[in-house]
Amino acid sequence: MASSNSVNMDPDVARRLFEEGATLVLLGVPQGTELGIDCKSWQVGPRFRGVKMIPPGLHFLHYCSVNSPSCGGEIGPKTGLFLTLKPREILLASWDRKEEDLDFSASEDEEELNRIRGTLQELDPFLGPYPYEVMRKWVSLTDHINEELATNLQPLTGRICAFSDVIPELQFRHTKDRAEQPRNDTTCQSMREGLDRLPKMKQREGTELRFSVIPKKTYPPGATPAEITKCSMDLSYALETVLEKKYENQPLNLLGELQFAFVCFLIGNVYEGFEHWKCLLALLCRSEEAMRRRKELYLGLITVLYHQLGEVPPDFFVDIVSQNNFLTSTLQDFFQFVTGPGMDGTLCKKAEKFKVHLTKKFRWDFDADLDDCAPVVVELPDSVTVD
């Protein structure tokens, strides 16, 4: 592997990782492939056979196939997968040239694994060491993600892809199916007409990330107009609905899902991860009643955000059209709620320190005038009428 800056590892740490670390044996990966683990990536060289001295625990392996220079050398979309590695574990994969992906089926062959284990000493010069200099950062970005959570959030295929694998909703197997679709042999009169002519697409089954579903209705069934307005300003009912459905016994796993979504976007280049991260964050930051009841969840949220926001430039969250900063407006609501009556003192203090930190680092203004008097527009159910 062609590596960039490396740091000198403490000899004791190096010896411990050499003895206890896991090994990824990755055979046949084409030269020039971009491959990485956690927060570091490289271009694969001709001698590459895998990665050694990997600290046990959760990791994210990611790679992009590359065309040969004679074919243009284009880089393909990134593919990634979460792995939980045990001490001294060996995982074996071979590059599938047809699928342009790693095939881990050999890891289920105990005889083959024993053969590889017996040749590790010969393989050692061809194995790149785990980039230990990124370990602290990686742990800070994933400390709420465990093996079960990662498995439950990953697609059923086990692969997280930067580009969605989509297929038409209608397969058009018969002439009759195609005849019923809008004609494409005449000029479109509008953008809308052009869009309507395109086939409706859906993600291929099994390739979808399995994030929590955030309810569109933020109020309970049968709510009065006053309750609907309250639940539209304080999203605690919607937050509790998400927690009860997936994380009733382990509410801090919601922070793990927030981290999972962020890693999918930051490292895996999955835009869907960013969108879900924004939705989850807005839900958490606008749930005033939940802040009073779930102190540990919100103390953890501040720590998670502290590390995540250290990885992005300050203007990253600015909408290029409206110039509004999603994050400052969301956190402005959070800081307003968390300093309100009935909040835990420890949580208030930690939130104030976080606010000062963000103001200094990003020069964000959280004390700008809030639109307290702006009306909140809510949709009433059909059964509710207002006199």
Side-chain angles (χ1 to χ4, degrees):
M1 281 189 291
S3 177
S4 55
N5 300 331
S6 60
V7 296
N8 293 323
M9 191 185 301
D10 179 271
D12 291 335
V13 173
R15 185 172 63 253
R16 188 167 68 251
L17 286 176
F18 183 78
E19 295 171 353
E20 298 294 320
T23 304
L24 284 174
V25 178
L26 309 173
L27 303 177
V29 180
Q31 184 175 346
T33 300
E34 288 193 6
L35 182 140
I37 185 167
D38 302 341
C39 305
K40 192 94 169 184
S41 60
W42 312 266
Q43 262 198 329
V44 167
R47 291 164 50 85
F48 175 76
R49 300 292 183 275
V51 184
K52 62 182 178 181
M53 300 169 67
I54 306 171
L58 183 86
H59 297 282
F60 186 61
L61 178 68
H62 44 99
Y63 41 90
C64 306
S65 59
V66 179
N67 282 341
S68 64
S70 60
C71 296
E74 294 94 348
I75 299 173
K78 185 173 285 188
T79 299
L81 63 154
F82 282 89
L83 301 168
T84 302
L85 302 174
K86 301 179 180 67
R88 299 181 298 282
E89 183 176 9
I90 296 174
L91 273 186
L92 174 61
S94 299
W95 187 259
D96 185 324
R97 289 187 175 274
K98 181 181 178 183
E99 298 295 329
E100 294 189 321
D101 197 2
L102 286 167
D103 178 3
F104 282 86
S105 58
S107 289
E108 299 170 9
D109 185 339
E110 199 61 40
E111 186 176 328
E112 182 64 11
L113 281 178
N114 286 332
R115 186 187 71 79
I116 291 293
R117 191 172 281 109
T119 61
L120 266 187
Q121 194 168 349
E122 289 80 8
L123 271 176
D124 189 74
F126 305 96
L127 302 175
Y130 175 84
Y132 194 73
E133 67 271 20
V134 304
M135 184 64 188
R136 185 184 297 273
K137 179 197 292 188
W138 173 247
V139 170
S140 73
L141 293 174
T142 59
D143 59 335
H144 287 282
I145 309 176
N146 54 46
E147 180 178 11
E148 181 183 11
L149 182 64
T151 300
N152 290 339
L153 292 174
Q154 280 195 137
L156 291 172
T157 60
R159 296 293 189 276
I160 297 168
C161 300
F163 288 166
S164 297
D165 183 1
V166 294
I167 56 174
E169 289 184 1
L170 299 175
Q171 297 301 312
F172 307 120
R173 292 190 179 92
H174 306 291
T175 304
K176 178 177 176 291
D177 297 330
R178 292 190 290 273
E180 292 173 355
Q181 297 308 302
R183 294 172 61 89
N184 289 324
D185 57 354
T186 57
T187 303
C188 293
Q189 301 302 311
S190 67
M191 174 71 79
R192 171 50 54 193
E193 183 183 347
L195 292 173
D196 288 342
R197 289 187 183 185
L198 294 174
K200 299 290 187 294
M201 308 297 285
K202 65 179 180 179
Q203 272 193 267
R204 189 181 299 276
E205 188 174 350
T207 66
E208 313 97 328
L209 287 162
R210 293 177 288 165
F211 290 134
S212 295
V213 176
I214 298 175
K216 292 181 180 177
K217 289 187 177 180
T218 62
Y219 49 85
T224 65
E227 289 169 337
I228 292 171
T229 300
K230 178 181 181 295
C231 291
S232 298
M233 297 173 69
D234 176 357
L235 303 181
S236 296
Y237 173 79
L239 175 60
E240 294 298 333
T241 301
V242 171
L243 289 171
E244 287 171 14
K245 190 169 184 180
K246 288 192 76 169
Y247 304 124
E248 186 173 11
N249 298 321
Q250 295 176 305
L252 294 187
N253 275 0
L254 189 64
L255 299 180
E257 183 169 335
L258 190 72
Q259 290 182 326
F260 183 98
F262 189 78
V263 166
C264 284
F265 172 70
L266 181 73
I267 303 175
N269 299 343
V270 180
Y271 185 70
E272 183 189 350
F274 179 54
E275 286 298 310
H276 187 68
W277 180 84
K278 289 200 301 182
C279 291
L280 268 187
L281 189 58
L283 182 66
L284 284 160
C285 288
R286 294 181 172 129
S287 297
E288 182 178 8
E289 188 57 40
M291 292 178 200
R292 294 190 181 94
R293 294 200 306 265
R294 296 188 178 275
K295 166 189 166 183
E296 295 304 322
L297 177 66
Y298 282 91
L299 287 171
L301 174 64
I302 293 172
T303 301
V304 166
L305 284 176
Y306 173 84
H307 292 296
Q308 289 182 342
L309 298 187
E311 300 303 314
V312 292
D315 60 350
F316 181 80
F317 299 98
V318 177
D319 186 284
I320 59 173
V321 177
S322 68
Q323 290 298 299
N324 290 329
N325 188 320
F326 153 80
L327 197 59
T328 53
S329 60
T330 302
L331 290 177
Q332 191 174 37
D333 290 338
F334 173 66
F335 292 133
Q336 183 192 21
F337 285 144
V338 82
T339 54
M343 293 296 174
D344 177 79
T346 305
L347 178 59
C348 285
K349 287 179 183 176
K350 188 167 184 176
E352 281 294 341
K353 287 183 179 179
F354 184 46
K355 180 179 174 182
V356 170
H357 164 75
L358 293 177
T359 302
K360 285 183 177 178
K361 181 169 183 176
F362 296 118
R363 300 182 184 278
W364 288 341
D365 182 7
F366 297 107
D367 296 318
D369 290 339
L370 293 167
D371 296 328
D372 288 332
C373 300
V376 176
V377 180
V378 297
E379 291 184 11
L380 297 178
D382 295 335
S383 58
V384 175
T385 58
V386 180
D387 296 330

